[in-house]
Amino acid sequence: FAVGVPPAPPGAIQIMLVRGGISDGVLDAAVKSRFTSGRLKGNNWCVELGGCHGRAMAMYQEADREQEAASQSADAATAAAHSATTTRRTLSRRCRTKLATLMMHKLEEDGDGDDLYFEGGLQRGEFLRAAGSGHVSSFLLEDMLDATRSAEGAQSWEELLRRSFAALSEVPLDSVVGLDAPARALEL
């Protein structure tokens, strides 16, 4: 996620700020086009989406700190900077919401979790692997919980928890290797 003048970092969603703001349709299109299969590195949408969400969260936190500092100052230049900071903060929050909603939609696509080739579903398996390897942050999980609005979304969370505990139970108790990823996924 990058806002401003090109070039954007590799793998970022480049969004140019225009007067009047960005419509939800344009933001939806930017997010969805970034995560099409042809634009993914190594076809791991979950890792890339988690990274993009992390960058949007960092931008949000930076804008939040700048907004706090600007609110304590009263000069005209600071007021203009405050307006730009508010715009960046709002856009990064909207992008975080769109990314979390896309992630939930991908998880809900797995339906009942039965897939011909992937037990428990391909999307949920990728999500758990990404969570276990540290590519899913607690901020993304929080935004995903906020984006859960349907019974299918709630079922996705139940299935993820069930699969997380199942993965942890499959590792022998006396094993030193193999506990990190399932434990990290549950820790979030």
Side-chain angles (χ1 to χ4, degrees), residues 151-162:
E152 291 82 15
Q155 289 173 343
S156 293
W157 285 111
E158 289 175 9
E159 180 65 18
L160 283 171
L161 285 172
R162 187 191 67 71

Side-chain angles (χ1 to χ4, degrees), residues 24-108:
D24 275 343
V26 170
L27 189 56
D28 266 341
V31 168
K32 287 179 182 174
S33 71
R34 171 59 188 89
F35 294 101
T36 57
S37 60
R39 297 189 71 188
L40 295 176
K41 297 175 190 163
N43 285 335
N44 197 337
W45 65 271
C46 195
V47 169
E48 291 196 33
L49 196 144
C52 192
H53 185 276
R55 289 187 295 277
M57 187 66 198
M59 179 183 285
Y60 180 82
Q61 291 171 331
E62 178 184 338
D64 209 26
R65 286 189 297 272
E66 289 173 8
Q67 191 172 20
E68 180 67 30
S71 69
Q72 297 174 359
S73 179
D75 64 4
T78 305
H82 177 69
S83 176
T85 299
T86 301
T87 302
R88 274 196 3 248
R89 185 174 184 267
T90 301
L91 181 60
S92 62
R93 181 188 45 76
R94 288 177 58 209
C95 192
R96 284 177 33 218
T97 301
K98 295 289 182 189
L99 291 166
T101 302
L102 178 61
M103 181 78 82
M104 281 306 302
H105 178 71
K106 290 271 194 188
L107 294 177
E108 289 170 12

